[in-house]
Amino acid sequence: MSNISRRDFLKTGAAAIAGFTIAPSSILGKSHGHKAPSDKLNIAVVGIGGMGHANINAVKDTENIVALCDVNWDYAKGVFDEFPNAKRYWDYRKMYEEMNKTIDAVIIATADHTHAIITADAMTLGKHVYCQKPLTHSVYESRLLTKLAASTGVATSMGNQGSSWDGTQLVCDWIWNGEIGEVTKVECATDRPIWPQGLNAPEKEDPIPDTLNWDLFTGPAKLNPYNAIYQPWNWRGWWDYGTGALGDMACHILHQPFKALKLGYPTKVEGSSTLLLNACAPQAQHVKMVFPARENMPKLALPEVEVHWYDGGMMPDRPAGFPQGKELMQSGGGLTIFHGTKDTLICGCYGQEPWLLSGRKPNAPQVARRVKVSHEMDWVRACKESKENRVKTNSDFSEAGPFNEMVVMGVLAVRLQGLHKTLEWDGENMRFTNIGANETIRTVIKDGFTIHNGHPSFNKTWTDPVNAQQFANELIKHTYRDGWKLPDMP
């Protein structure tokens, strides 16, 4: 692991925050028929082999890609080759140290468990940030990024692109106009996972490829023996690195309920699943969250509401009156059902193709902000506006941070299901209030599945009982590995 210290690359952060702005294009020459070089953002990208490449493609025609960082240079090779003039890095910290004065903004598309630290360090340096979903791996990390964004004033966006699509805005317009009445229940589902989940931890240790820096991939998590199953894509099913199907897809599917119903922190959560293993997300999950009543809107009362999540093939019941022969799972491999007192609203992943079960087509006024460019280019636009006059992106961290707390709260509910209770959550203070000081919890290390004389059996290996409060607190706020540290909470 690199010995770069936090102080080395953050020492100029305060000055960067104080002095960083981009002059409006009218000053820089755009209004006179040409685009001045200084009117382009200098963008660094961390995690370029997967979604990072898609994000790059969305901005490369108008902005400068000046630095590329990845821990897997085989997976990233095509992007490295596409941008031969961009500086290449294994370690984002070295990139920040060397290019602090050169870069204006950072796109982060690494594994979930490193989103928070890479994003927080960029904001501390005064850099605008676009971070892939889920925004973070834990509740505490989400809260930190929310507050850092507010204190630094940089432009931010989470990579849940559906927040910039018209479907999401139409869902909000209809609900805010009172078209379906009061909503007391929402059901959401995805067809994911489409990667392995429900697996025992690999027992074999594979040779680490020369093109992969396993230590840097691990980052703040515990250092596990390398196995080829983790890289470059299937990490998302393993708790140390990912958040499973819920973390991957809920940022696309739960965002419409969060935004349209103006949800905040849940007060009660409960999770269940197929066999829950210590290292890997389960094959299928159900999560129930209860949100308290919120302040009413002019045309809409906001009573207490239940939000349900299903994945891995689990689905809600078909609503009464749902067309026979019509598939319940909607477009994009996602489903959201808003149960209102006047009507039922149904949409797909990203809020796509919303429709009412009654068949009505509402003519509601447009209230929610429309985005006429790509999700990434709307973030670029925000980066180029002064913080005093900036129009926030549709997934600015002021919204994406609290929303992501909801998403990872679902992960918490599943991982704490062994307590066999509805968990009561104090969102403001990020703690469960009904886990006793002497309660314990244990999880399955290995399912022990065998077939003997034709009869299947499970000889499960369990962890020793651990203090449930301490276990929950570690899930809420991770203890980082030596050498990795988040900035302090503002």
Side-chain angles (χ1 to χ4, degrees), residues 17-338:
I17 293 169
F20 180 75
T21 58
I22 292 181
S25 58
S26 59
I27 296 174
L28 295 172
K30 194 174 187 180
S31 63
H32 296 282
H34 68 277
K35 188 177 182 74
S38 55
D39 194 27
K40 295 185 176 183
L41 291 178
N42 287 338
I43 298 176
V45 188
V46 189
I48 64 174
M51 276 304 299
H53 191 194
N55 300 145
I56 290 170
N57 286 338
V59 302
K60 67 182 182 182
D61 290 341
T62 60
E63 313 307 314
N64 298 321
I65 306 300
V66 298
L68 298 170
C69 179
D70 206 291
V71 299
N72 187 332
W73 280 30
D74 177 58
Y75 195 48
K77 183 181 184 303
V79 185
F80 282 142
D81 292 346
E82 185 180 350
F83 298 92
N85 295 325
K87 294 199 68 175
R88 302 178 184 185
Y89 292 91
W90 293 91
D91 191 332
Y92 83 91
R93 298 168 299 178
K94 183 175 177 62
M95 181 182 74
Y96 286 178
E97 179 186 29
E98 292 185 356
M99 301 200 68
N100 179 40
K101 294 181 180 180
T102 303
I103 59 178
D104 305 315
V106 185
I107 293 172
I108 298 103
T110 58
D112 300 353
H113 72 296
T114 54
H115 283 182
I117 192 167
I118 299 172
T119 303
D121 285 344
M123 287 195 288
T124 304
L125 289 171
K127 311 305 177 186
H128 305 301
V129 288
Y130 179 105
C131 182
Q132 263 305 328
K133 54 77 196 167
L135 187 62
T136 71
H137 199 256
S138 75
V139 170
Y140 178 87
E141 291 169 341
S142 294
R143 187 73 56 90
L144 174 66
L145 296 194
T146 303
K147 293 194 172 186
L148 276 176
S151 65
T152 59
V154 299
T156 60
S157 186
M158 180 169 71
N160 56 329
Q161 61 269 29
S163 63
S164 290
W165 292 7
D166 284 352
T168 295
Q169 319 321 323
L170 199 58
V171 167
C172 292
D173 288 343
W174 288 1
I175 290 176
W176 294 343
N177 201 48
E179 297 291 340
I180 66 170
E182 298 177 11
V183 178
T184 57
K185 184 178 180 180
V186 182
E187 295 177 297
C188 302
T190 181
D191 62 359
R192 273 29 168 215
I194 54 175
W195 51 84
Q197 288 190 188
L199 303 178
N200 296 316
E203 297 180 356
K204 177 187 174 186
E205 182 173 0
D206 293 329
I208 300 173
D210 293 339
T211 53
L212 172 67
N213 190 316
W214 180 241
D215 186 82
L216 288 176
F217 171 82
T218 299
K222 70 176 183 180
L223 186 60
N224 294 313
Y226 170 72
N227 186 280
I229 197 171
Y230 296 130
Q231 267 280 341
W233 199 68
N234 292 328
W235 51 261
R236 65 191 65 246
W238 300 92
W239 289 132
D240 285 337
Y241 318 119
T243 45
L246 198 157
D248 183 68
M249 292 302 292
C251 288
H252 297 314
I253 297 169
L254 288 178
H255 184 238
Q256 293 74 37
F258 183 85
K259 186 179 183 71
L261 300 179
K262 298 191 177 295
L263 302 178
Y265 305 131
T267 53
K268 298 177 182 178
V269 298
E270 187 173 347
S272 60
S273 72
T274 53
L275 179 64
L276 178 66
L277 291 160
N278 192 51
C280 194
Q283 293 176 330
Q285 307 169 112
H286 170 228
V287 174
K288 173 185 172 182
M289 304 185 199
V290 177
F291 293 83
R294 286 85 61 217
E295 183 177 351
N296 291 341
M297 299 180 69
K299 298 181 181 179
L300 178 68
L302 295 170
E304 180 181 271
V305 60
E306 289 183 5
V307 177
H308 292 258
W309 171 267
Y310 303 87
D311 64 39
M314 299 177 70
M315 293 283 285
D317 293 336
R318 297 170 70 89
F322 196 90
Q324 294 295 312
K326 182 180 178 66
E327 186 176 355
L328 185 59
M329 180 63 70
Q330 298 292 290
S331 54
L335 168 70
T336 300
I337 306 172
F338 293 87

Side-chain angles (χ1 to χ4, degrees), residues 427-446:
E428 190 65 35
N429 295 300
M430 295 183 286
R431 67 186 186 95
F432 292 107
T433 59
N434 66 331
I435 299 179
N438 296 319
E439 282 191 77
T440 60
I441 191 170
R442 58 182 189 147
T443 51
V444 176
I445 299 173
K446 186 177 179 180

Side-chain angles (χ1 to χ4, degrees), residues 233-487:
W233 199 68
N234 292 328
W235 51 261
R236 65 191 65 246
W238 300 92
W239 289 132
D240 285 337
Y241 318 119
T243 45
L246 198 157
D248 183 68
M249 292 302 292
C251 288
H252 297 314
I253 297 169
L254 288 178
H255 184 238
Q256 293 74 37
F258 183 85
K259 186 179 183 71
L261 300 179
K262 298 191 177 295
L263 302 178
Y265 305 131
T267 53
K268 298 177 182 178
V269 298
E270 187 173 347
S272 60
S273 72
T274 53
L275 179 64
L276 178 66
L277 291 160
N278 192 51
C280 194
Q283 293 176 330
Q285 307 169 112
H286 170 228
V287 174
K288 173 185 172 182
M289 304 185 199
V290 177
F291 293 83
R294 286 85 61 217
E295 183 177 351
N296 291 341
M297 299 180 69
K299 298 181 181 179
L300 178 68
L302 295 170
E304 180 181 271
V305 60
E306 289 183 5
V307 177
H308 292 258
W309 171 267
Y310 303 87
D311 64 39
M314 299 177 70
M315 293 283 285
D317 293 336
R318 297 170 70 89
F322 196 90
Q324 294 295 312
K326 182 180 178 66
E327 186 176 355
L328 185 59
M329 180 63 70
Q330 298 292 290
S331 54
L335 168 70
T336 300
I337 306 172
F338 293 87
H339 297 273
T341 53
K342 296 180 181 178
D343 212 329
T344 301
L345 190 160
I346 301 167
C347 63
C349 188
Y350 317 107
Q352 291 180 98
E353 302 175 8
W355 57 285
L356 300 185
L357 197 56
S358 67
R360 290 189 306 113
K361 294 184 178 180
N363 184 23
Q366 288 191 5
V367 178
R369 173 179 174 265
R370 264 60 175 179
V371 175
K372 300 305 180 184
V373 294
S374 71
H375 190 57
E376 294 90 343
M377 284 305 297
D378 191 52
W379 167 70
V380 167
R381 183 269 314 156
C383 293
K384 296 182 179 183
E385 296 174 351
S386 68
K387 63 180 179 182
E388 294 80 12
N389 299 308
R390 180 181 300 136
V391 175
K392 292 180 179 178
T393 65
N394 276 11
S395 199
D396 181 88
F397 286 4
S398 59
E399 179 173 314
F403 167 47
N404 200 76
E405 289 190 35
M406 173 189 181
V407 173
V408 291
M409 177 55 60
V411 174
L412 280 174
V414 168
R415 298 196 68 184
L416 293 169
Q417 65 181 279
L419 294 174
H420 308 299
K421 64 171 71 176
T422 299
L423 296 167
E424 297 175 0
W425 178 246
D426 175 2
E428 190 65 35
N429 295 300
M430 295 183 286
R431 67 186 186 95
F432 292 107
T433 59
N434 66 331
I435 299 179
N438 296 319
E439 282 191 77
T440 60
I441 191 170
R442 58 182 189 147
T443 51
V444 176
I445 299 173
K446 186 177 179 180
D447 62 21
F449 175 73
T450 59
I451 297 178
H452 182 66
N453 291 332
H455 295 282
S457 64
F458 289 87
N459 183 21
K460 298 174 185 174
T461 303
W462 292 80
T463 62
D464 292 331
V466 297
N467 182 273
Q469 282 189 357
Q470 293 176 6
F471 183 77
N473 290 340
E474 177 60 30
L475 297 180
I476 294 165
K477 181 182 180 182
H478 301 326
T479 301
Y480 278 13
R481 189 163 61 114
D482 286 348
W484 301 84
K485 184 180 184 299
L486 285 168

